[in-house]
Amino acid sequence: MNTLRHTFLVRCLSVVWVLLFVALLEGCFSSSEKNRKVSPEGAASEMDGHQKMKSLLKHIAEHQSKHNSFFGDGMAKQLRNKIDFSPVKNSDEMQKLKVRLAEAVIRLGNAEEAIQLLEGVYENMEHYSSSMPDLFRNYVRFKLGLASLRLGEIQNCCEKNTPESCIYPIKGGGLHTREEGSRKAIHYFTEVLEHSDSKDPLHKTALWLLNIAYMTLGEHPDGVPAAHLITLFQDEPETDFPAFENVATTLGLDTVDLSGGAIVDDFDNDGNLDIVSSTFDIKGNMHMFHNNADGTFTECTKAAGLDGLLGGLNMVQADFNNDGFVDIFVLRGGWFGGNGAHPNSLLKNQGDGTFIDITFESGLGESHSPTQTASWADFDNDGDLDLYIGNEQTNPRQRFPCQLFRNNGDETFTDIAAKAGVENFGFTKGVIWGDYDNDRFPDLYVSNAGHPNRLYHNNGDGTFSDVASEAGVTQPIDSFPAWFWDYNNDGNLDIYASSYRWKRGAVAQIVSSYQGQPFSMGPPRLFQGNGAGQFTDVAADTGVHTLSLPMGSNFGDINGDGFLDFYLGTGYPDYEALTPNVMYLNRGGRSFTDITAVGRFGHLQKGHGVAFADLDNDGDQDVFEQMGGAFLGDKFGNALYRNPGFGNRWIAIQLVGTQSNRSGIGARIHVVISEGEETRSIYKHVNSGGSFGANPLRQYIGLGNAEKIERLEIYWPTSDTTQMFRNVPMDRFIRIQENADQYEIQKVKSFSMPPKK
C-alpha cells in the first residue's frame, strides 16, 4: 500500500476541453500575433525567445506526460501489464493490483472503469475471508463509495455545470438528477461506517462524504440517519447576509482546467478589468478574457499572443519595466519535485493588446526550478520592481534555492539571492513582501511546508536577516498561502499564514476542527503586528483558527465596510478532499465570521487562484476563482461570484509612480472618513493581495457609511514623500501620480454583469 499517498482517488472528469485556441474575435484586443510590437533592434531576439519558450513547453508536454505522477498514464499501463500477464488471477495480490489500477484510472478520469474494477474486488472479498485483512476490505468499500460519488459529480456537475453546481449546501440547480452514483455512494459509505471504529480517520471521512451524498439528492438533513448526521455551516449568525451568484457559466468564464492561477487587472488601460487564468496541466494553455464593458467577456488568448504558453500553477502581475502596461509572470513546475525544473515565463505587455515572452532575454530563464509562488517589490527602493521566486526543494540531493532577481532597469534581472541571504532551501509554498516595521524597505515572508516559516528583515543594504523566531511567526510548520495585510486598520501590517498538509485522513481533521473536536494538524495563524517588529497570534481570538487546508486564496472587502475579508480555496489532490471553499467576513477588525454557506461561497470543488475585483465597475468587489485539482480527472469550471451590493460608499485609486515603481507596489494609502460625528482610518498597502491569486493593482477601498473623506494620504517609500488631498469625492475612480498636486477623476463606465436583457 506504499503508493496510496500518490494514487489516492481523484475527482472531477471534464467532458469539455477548452484548449482550442480562439481566433481573433470582434471585441478582443485589437492586434494579431503577426503585428506584435517589438523594437527593430530587438525584434529577432525577442521573437526567438518567445518561440524558444513555446518550443520548450511543447517538448515538456510531449515527453513528460506519460510518466507524470499527476496525469500520466504510465502507472495505469504498468499495472495493466502486471494483471494481464500474472499467472495467478485470483489471489490477494491480484486484488490489490486491481485496486491500484482503479486508483490510477480514476485519476485519469475513468470513473466507470474504476467502479467496475472495484466491484470485481468487492464481489471476491468473501472468497478471501481468511487472508484478506479487514482494513483492506473496508478500504475497498471506501474506494467504491468514493468512485460512485465521483461518477455522480461527473454526470451531474461536470457535464451539466450550473451556477449552483457543487455549492455547499447543495440545493436547487445543484441537486443531482441522475441519482445512481450518489445512491451507490450512500450504500458503500454506510458499510464503511459499520465496519470501522469512530477513531479511524477513514470512518470520519466516510461519514462526511455520506452526508454530501445525501445532500446531492436533496435528502440532507432529514433523510440522513440520526447517528450519521453532520451539520456544518448550518448555524451561521449572519442570516441577513445576501447570497452571491456564480455567473461564470453565463459569461463563458468557466474554462475547464486543472488547478491554476488567476489575475484580474486592466491589461489594455481602458479602465475595465480583464481576467487571465492558467493551468497546472503541462498540455493546457493559459486563458485571457477581455472585458467588453457591457457585462460580457471575450476570450482573446490567441489574439494576445498567449497560445502555446502551456502550464503554470500560479501567476503574478506588475509593470516591471515602468512603461505603463501591466506584465505577467507565470510560475511552473510546482509539486513535480525533481521533474519540475520547468521554465517560468515573463510576459511583456507590448501596449497593443499583445504579450511576448522575454524570459530568456531578461535573465530569468538561466536556471529552472519547480515553483508556484513569487512576489514583486522594490526591495532596494531604486524605482524598479524586483522579483522573489520561492522554489521547492524536496530533498537534500536536489538544490532548488529560492531566487531574488534584482531589476537592472533595462528589462534584465540578476539573481542575488545568495548574496542577500534569502535562498531559504526549503519546500517553499508562499512568498509575499511587506514593510512590517515601517522603515521604508519591504521585508519578505516565506511560507514553507515541512519546516519553520521565515521572516526576512530587509537590512536596507541589499542583505536580509531571518528574524522569524524573534518575531514569533515561524508557525505553522506545514503551511501554504500567506499574505501581509492590515486587517484591523491600525496602520501596521499583519500576517496570515495558512495551515496545509496533504495526507490521508486530512478531511477527518477538517471535520473534527469544525465540530470543535481535537485535531493533530497545526492550525492556521493570524499574526497581529505592532509596527515595531513583533507579532501576536490572534487566530483563535478572532475566530479563524479552524482547519480548511487552503491552496488558492486572497483578501478584499466584499461588503465595502473598510475592513478586509478573505476567501480560501480549499482541497488537496486526493479526491476525498471534497470540502467547501471558505469565506470569512471581517467584523470591524475585532473578529471574523464564517459566511461560507449563507453567502453561497462554499464550492466543493478544489479552489485555486482567487481575485477580489470590481469587474462591473459598480463600486463593489466580485470574487473570481480558478477551479480544478491536480489529477487529470479533476478538472472543473471556474467560478465568478457576483456581488449583489451593500449600498456602502467606496473609492478606487490607481497610483502612478514616477520616482517610485509605476505600479505603486509598496505604497501606503491612508483614508480618513467621517461617519456621523466620528472619524476613523482605513489603511491599504498596495500589492496584488495574497500569494495564490492576484487582485488588481488598482486599489478598491470600501468606505462604509462615510459621509465625507476628510483626507486621503499616499506615502511613497522610495521617495519618502507623502501626498495629502482633501475634499476627495466618494464613489469615484481616481488616478494619483506621485508628487502631483491634484488627483484625476477617471471616467469609467459601470454596467450590469451579466448584461440585462
Side-chain angles (χ1 to χ4, degrees):
M1 304 299 290
N2 60 352
T3 61
L4 287 180
R5 187 165 184 259
H6 290 292
T7 61
F8 210 74
L9 279 177
V10 295
R11 322 208 355 225
C12 206
L13 172 66
S14 169
V15 295
V16 182
W17 279 87
V18 196
L19 301 179
L20 298 175
F21 307 129
V22 180
L24 291 177
L25 298 172
E26 185 175 351
C28 291
F29 295 134
S30 58
S31 297
S32 65
E33 184 174 4
K34 66 180 180 180
N35 292 323
R36 287 195 187 128
K37 183 171 68 178
V38 294
S39 62
E41 298 81 10
S45 62
E46 288 189 354
M47 289 301 294
D48 287 347
H50 187 91
Q51 295 302 326
K52 177 181 176 181
M53 178 62 72
K54 290 173 65 173
S55 177
L56 181 54
L57 295 176
K58 181 180 179 181
H59 177 84
I60 290 172
E62 291 175 347
H63 291 82
Q64 290 194 16
S65 295
K66 180 178 180 180
H67 297 291
N68 185 287
S69 61
F70 288 96
F71 34 80
D73 61 357
M75 177 61 71
K77 289 181 177 179
Q78 180 181 350
L79 290 168
R80 288 188 202 280
N81 287 335
K82 286 185 177 181
I83 292 171
D84 291 343
F85 293 102
S86 174
V88 182
K89 299 298 183 184
N90 293 310
S91 64
D92 284 5
E93 187 61 32
M94 177 60 67
Q95 307 313 306
K96 294 177 182 178
L97 285 174
K98 288 181 178 179
V99 172
R100 290 177 58 193
L101 178 58
E103 294 171 339
V105 298
I106 199 171
R107 73 184 187 189
L108 296 173
N110 302 324
E112 291 179 328
E113 181 183 357
I115 291 172
Q116 185 178 11
L117 285 163
L118 291 167
E119 285 180 338
V121 177
Y122 180 84
E123 292 169 1
N124 286 329
M125 285 199 306
E126 294 304 318
H127 298 293
Y128 301 93
S129 57
S130 61
S131 59
M132 190 174 288
D134 290 339
L135 183 64
F136 178 73
R137 295 163 183 263
N138 224 25
Y139 184 70
V140 172
R141 297 183 184 104
F142 179 80
K143 286 292 188 178
L144 262 170
L146 205 55
S148 299
L149 186 59
R150 178 82 207 101
L151 180 62
E153 288 181 275
I154 292 168
Q155 295 174 337
N156 294 276
C157 301
C158 301
E159 295 180 1
K160 303 175 183 179
N161 191 12
T162 73
E164 294 183 283
S165 292
C166 293
I167 304 294
Y168 183 97
I170 299 171
K171 59 185 179 180
L175 294 177
H176 291 193
T177 57
R178 299 179 65 179
E179 299 185 355
E180 181 184 2
S182 291
R183 293 290 177 199
K184 285 188 174 181
I186 290 171
H187 170 77
Y188 291 119
F189 287 139
T190 301
E191 285 197 356
V192 172
L193 298 178
E194 293 171 349
H195 292 84
S196 62
D197 184 271
S198 60
K199 296 180 180 180
D200 183 354
L202 198 68
H203 182 97
K204 183 159 283 188
T205 304
L207 184 63
W208 166 252
L209 295 175
L210 174 72
N211 278 259
I212 294 296
Y214 273 111
M215 191 177 289
T216 65
L217 301 174
E219 298 176 3
H220 186 282
D222 295 339
V224 184
H228 296 158
L229 181 63
I230 294 179
T231 55
L232 301 186
F233 307 102
Q234 302 298 303
D235 55 352
E236 296 178 2
E238 193 71 23
T239 55
D240 59 343
F241 192 91
F244 282 53
E245 181 186 3
N246 178 12
V247 297
T249 56
T250 306
L251 295 175
L253 296 172
D254 58 331
T255 53
V256 180
D257 286 308
L258 298 179
S259 56
I263 301 174
V264 177
D265 217 315
D266 182 3
F267 290 100
D268 57 355
N269 291 346
D270 65 354
N272 304 302
L273 298 174
D274 312 301
I275 299 174
V276 181
S277 65
S278 64
T279 176
F280 182 62
D281 188 352
I282 59 177
K283 290 185 175 181
N285 212 96
M286 61 192 302
H287 301 276
M288 171 166 278
F289 293 93
H290 179 248
N291 189 331
N292 299 322
D294 60 2
T296 67
F297 292 80
T298 300
E299 182 167 1
C300 295
T301 306
K302 185 174 182 180
L306 300 176
D307 57 314
L309 296 175
L310 310 177
L313 185 52
N314 198 4
M315 301 180 293
V316 288
Q317 89 279 25
D319 181 2
F320 83 93
N321 56 0
N322 293 328
D323 67 352
F325 293 93
V326 179
D327 312 293
I328 300 171
F329 189 67
V330 183
L331 297 141
R332 300 188 178 96
W335 292 111
F336 292 158
N339 295 321
H342 299 176
N344 300 318
S345 280
L346 177 61
L347 305 178
K348 176 184 174 182
N349 187 336
Q350 301 191 97
D352 60 358
T354 67
F355 293 78
I356 190 166
D357 194 311
I358 62 167
T359 307
F360 300 112
E361 295 84 354
S362 69
L364 295 175
E366 294 180 1
S367 64
H368 306 157
S369 302
T371 182
Q372 55 81 56
T373 183
S375 187
W376 295 95
D378 183 4
F379 84 88
D380 51 4
N381 277 331
D382 66 352
D384 298 311
L385 286 171
D386 312 295
L387 180 66
Y388 186 81
I389 303 175
N391 295 317
E392 299 177 352
Q393 180 162 314
T394 55
N395 64 69
R397 298 187 303 276
Q398 294 175 315
R399 291 176 62 85
F400 292 125
C402 295
Q403 298 162 295
L404 174 58
F405 286 100
R406 183 184 61 205
N407 193 326
N408 299 322
D410 59 358
E411 298 192 354
T412 67
F413 294 81
T414 302
D415 184 3
I416 61 167
K419 180 180 178 181
V422 292
E423 290 181 293
N424 188 37
F425 289 110
F427 195 57
T428 314
K429 299 308 297 176
V431 297
I432 195 72
W433 294 93
D435 180 10
Y436 71 88
D437 57 354
N438 301 316
D439 66 353
R440 292 181 51 235
F441 290 91
D443 312 293
L444 182 65
Y445 190 72
V446 179
S447 170
N448 294 307
H451 70 264
N453 299 331
R454 299 186 187 272
L455 177 60
Y456 287 114
H457 176 258
N458 190 333
N459 299 322
D461 60 0
T463 67
F464 294 76
S465 300
D466 182 9
V467 298
S469 182
E470 301 95 298
V473 294
T474 59
Q475 300 289 329
I477 297 299
D478 289 300
S479 61
F480 200 157
W483 58 76
F484 280 107
W485 62 340
D486 185 358
Y487 84 91
N488 57 355
N489 279 327
D490 66 353
N492 301 314
L493 282 177
D494 314 299
I495 299 173
Y496 178 83
S498 66
S499 175
Y500 188 91
R501 191 176 181 187
W502 172 18
K503 70 172 186 177
R504 180 186 172 190
V507 165
Q509 297 264 329
I510 294 172
V511 175
S512 293
S513 176
Y514 272 100
Q515 292 178 320
Q517 299 174 357
F519 56 92
S520 60
M521 294 177 64
R525 309 290 175 141
L526 176 58
F527 298 111
Q528 182 178 317
N530 66 1
Q534 294 300 310
F535 294 84
T536 302
D537 181 16
V538 295
D541 295 337
T542 56
V544 297
H545 61 298
T546 308
L547 282 181
S548 57
L549 304 192
M551 301 169 290
S553 54
N554 218 322
F555 58 86
D557 184 1
I558 57 172
N559 62 348
D561 65 351
F563 290 93
L564 296 171
D565 318 298
F566 67 103
Y567 188 53
L568 304 175
T570 65
Y572 50 93
D574 298 335
Y575 172 53
E576 68 173 32
L578 202 65
T579 59
N581 297 318
V582 180
M583 178 70 82
Y584 282 103
L585 182 71
N586 192 328
R587 296 290 200 172
R590 299 178 298 276
S591 64
F592 291 83
T593 298
D594 187 332
I595 56 165
T596 299
V598 68
R600 302 297 287 156
F601 296 107
H603 212 300
L604 287 170
Q605 298 300 320
K606 296 183 173 78
H608 284 83
V610 173
F612 286 71
D614 183 5
L615 281 160
D616 46 6
N617 296 333
D618 65 351
D620 49 47
Q621 288 188 314
D622 313 292
V623 182
F624 180 81
E625 183 177 23
Q626 198 278 348
M627 307 294 295
F631 294 119
L632 191 61
D634 202 9
K635 294 184 178 182
F636 205 81
N638 301 330
L640 172 59
Y641 301 100
R642 179 180 58 187
N643 196 318
F646 292 81
N648 283 327
R649 313 305 295 270
W650 56 276
I651 189 169
I653 304 172
Q654 182 76 54
L655 295 184
V656 181
T658 53
Q659 184 176 342
S660 304
N661 71 87
R662 185 166 180 128
S663 294
I665 292 175
R668 305 176 204 162
I669 301 173
H670 179 199
V671 186
V672 180
I673 62 172
S674 59
E675 290 178 317
E677 297 181 356
E678 298 183 356
T679 62
R680 67 178 172 102
S681 291
I682 301 171
Y683 294 90
K684 196 73 182 293
H685 294 64
V686 180
N687 63 10
S688 59
S691 63
F692 205 147
N695 298 337
L697 294 173
R698 179 172 74 193
Q699 299 297 298
Y700 167 88
I701 301 175
L703 303 176
N705 295 316
E707 297 173 0
K708 180 182 179 181
I709 294 178
E710 296 290 341
R711 68 179 187 273
L712 169 63
E713 298 176 354
I714 311 296
Y715 175 69
W716 301 87
T718 296
S719 58
D720 196 19
T721 59
T722 300
Q723 294 168 281
M724 185 175 70
F725 303 96
R726 297 187 184 274
N727 299 316
V728 179
M730 296 184 289
D731 307 334
R732 294 289 187 274
F733 295 83
I734 68 172
R735 183 177 184 269
I736 299 177
Q737 184 170 301
E738 186 177 12
N739 298 321
D741 295 329
Q742 299 291 329
Y743 55 82
E744 302 174 23
I745 296 180
Q746 304 292 292
K747 294 182 179 180
V748 178
K749 173 186 174 184
S750 63
F751 45 87
S752 177
M753 183 181 67
K756 294 180 180 179
K757 296 182 180 179

